[in-house]
Amino acid sequence: MATDALDALVHDLAEDQQLIDDVVGAARADFPEVARLPWAESRRHVAALMAAGFAAFSHDSTEDPDFTSAFRFGAERAALGVPVAGLLSGVHAGRSRILEIAINRGRSAGIPYDVLLAALLKLDKFGTALEHHVIDGYRAAERDLDHDARADRIQVLRRLLLDEPDDGPALDPAQFGLAPAGRFHCVVSDAAEPGRVRAMEQTYARCGGVLAPVGGRLSGLTPRLPPTTRDEPGVLVVTTPAVRLAQAPDAYRLGVTALTAGLAGGAAGVRSVTDLAGETALAAQPLLAGFLSEDLLAGLDPGDPFHRDLVSTALAFLDRGQRLDRTATALHLHPNTVRYRLRRLHELTGFNDAGGAPVTETVRWWWALRTWLGQPG
């Protein structure tokens, strides 16, 4: 009976999406480098690590647990310049939070203390093994990446892009080709896999640029962009027009906002901030986006699948120039189905699908629909 209750507890923990959010919150609170990353990115990493840990806990004892995701996570943190002390701080905070929740739920389920203690010791054992694989991945990537003055490049870029004072002996940016009189494109990317990071650093170095991890993202300055940059699947690179070094912090902040907005919209490849101007401007006003969504779409329930279908259809309609035929083709629906959904949305919210509205009015609805759809169902 106790074994059944314990199995049910572990299964519930492994399937609990709120637990992932709790662990992410604990790691971000204890780890500034994680807190700088978008919540969705942190959540993706934590979910992968937790899945590996729970799978190891429940695995067949005749097989070795699969800690590939933990090794990859450590390697990616090294590629992004995350200090190992901070990395361990975040991992420890997450482990502590999982054990705390497991204890509380186990006691509430009436699991005997000796059974619960044995299970927690086993869970902590696999947590330790997972942590070791994170560090192994970190060290392996660190050896591969640190063949040159990477630490110096990080220091210089943090000073130029974050406007931070030098940590240690002052370095002259001109030694890295970043002359005060020059103009440089700011580059920000979500690349995290060590091989891709290293390749990008080398590609921009051949253009006279300097790339290194800054604030948990691969970032840098370059006097010119590569003439031909091969798009990497699943990787977004945002660039700005060339600016003076004095404008670099502003350009970097704009690039980070554009990167976040582009990722939210599914963008990939090499994109200029001017390509993502609309998404970037809107992403800079999250509070206003929430107000707009609440005001225009108050009659909809985010938990209602049909309402989500209505909003998805309307958003696709606006994205395709309010063309019924293009929307139907993109969604693989009959035009009459699209027409019906738009009419129902009009009845519930007042959404106008007739066309001819001012651009600003269309933007208001597009922004509200996109924001509403981003809420959890």
Side-chain angles (χ1 to χ4, degrees):
M1 184 67 177
T3 303
D4 292 340
L6 180 60
D7 290 341
L9 172 63
V10 174
H11 179 270
D12 289 344
L13 289 173
E15 297 294 325
D16 189 348
Q17 297 299 305
Q18 182 58 47
L19 176 61
I20 297 175
D21 291 334
D22 288 342
V23 173
V24 172
R28 289 171 73 90
D30 213 56
F31 186 11
E33 292 290 346
V34 170
R36 292 192 184 105
L37 299 175
W39 178 275
E41 183 177 345
S42 299
R43 194 181 191 282
R44 176 173 61 84
H45 290 144
V46 169
L49 290 176
M50 288 175 59
F54 284 122
F57 181 89
S58 305
H59 88 294
D60 185 342
S61 59
T62 62
E63 301 177 2
D64 292 331
D66 183 6
F67 287 113
T68 304
S69 59
F71 188 92
R72 183 185 306 115
F73 174 77
E76 289 181 354
R77 296 310 92 192
L80 295 181
V82 174
V84 68
L87 174 62
L88 287 177
S89 177
V91 172
H92 290 164
R95 284 179 61 186
S96 297
R97 184 60 179 149
I98 290 175
L99 291 174
E100 177 186 353
I101 292 174
I103 291 171
N104 291 335
R105 294 189 185 180
R107 295 176 63 182
S108 298
I111 298 176
Y113 285 113
D114 57 338
V115 175
L116 183 59
L117 177 60
L120 292 175
L121 289 174
K122 181 181 177 183
L123 184 62
D124 191 54
K125 169 189 172 184
F126 285 108
T128 300
L130 184 143
E131 180 180 316
H132 287 165
H133 281 79
V134 168
I135 297 304
D136 287 346
Y138 187 99
R139 296 303 187 198
E142 193 176 43
R143 289 192 297 270
D144 181 58
L145 290 164
D146 200 22
H147 291 320
D148 50 20
R150 198 169 192 246
D152 290 344
R153 299 204 311 274
I154 292 174
Q155 181 181 334
V156 166
L157 288 177
R158 289 183 70 88
R159 173 179 143 200
L160 294 175
L161 300 181
L162 302 181
D163 204 17
E164 290 185 351
D166 281 321
D167 182 14
L171 297 173
D172 184 1
Q175 295 177 341
F176 299 84
L178 303 176
R183 299 177 69 89
F184 304 91
H185 302 272
C186 185
V187 180
V188 184
S189 176
D190 69 325
E193 193 275 321
R196 285 180 174 176
V197 169
R198 186 64 174 172
M200 286 185 61
E201 290 177 352
Q202 293 173 340
T203 296
Y204 282 87
R206 288 193 289 270
C207 295
V210 181
L211 254 65
V214 176
R217 301 174 184 84
L218 184 63
S219 309
L221 296 166
T222 181
R224 62 184 186 278
L225 298 172
T228 56
T229 302
R230 182 171 59 89
D231 289 352
E232 294 281 2
V235 171
L236 176 61
V237 180
V238 173
T239 66
T240 72
V243 298
R244 301 282 187 188
L245 287 184
Q247 299 173 289
D250 291 335
Y252 171 73
R253 285 191 291 270
L254 179 62
V256 170
T257 303
L259 180 74
T260 303
L263 291 173
V270 181
R271 306 287 295 275
S272 169
V273 290
T274 56
D275 297 334
L276 301 168
E279 296 91 331
T280 303
L282 298 181
Q285 297 291 339
L287 185 60
L288 180 56
F291 288 158
L292 193 60
S293 175
E294 293 170 7
D295 185 35
L296 295 182
L297 305 175
L300 301 181
D301 176 9
D304 187 329
F306 179 62
H307 286 181
R308 299 187 77 82
D309 285 342
L310 298 183
V311 171
S312 297
T313 302
L315 192 58
F317 179 68
L318 294 182
D319 280 337
R320 284 156 184 81
Q322 303 182 54
R323 288 281 301 272
L324 195 67
D325 54 345
R326 293 179 180 175
T327 305
T329 299
L331 299 181
H332 305 290
L333 297 173
H334 192 281
N336 286 342
T337 302
V338 174
R339 188 178 291 109
Y340 165 73
R341 289 183 179 181
L342 295 177
R343 185 172 69 250
R344 286 292 293 134
L345 186 64
H346 170 75
E347 294 169 355
L348 292 169
T349 67
F351 174 76
N352 177 19
D353 64 338
V359 171
T360 52
E361 181 67 11
T362 302
V363 169
R364 288 176 71 240
W365 277 103
W366 180 89
W367 196 7
L369 293 165
R370 191 167 182 263
T371 303
W372 186 94
L373 201 60
Q375 301 178 69

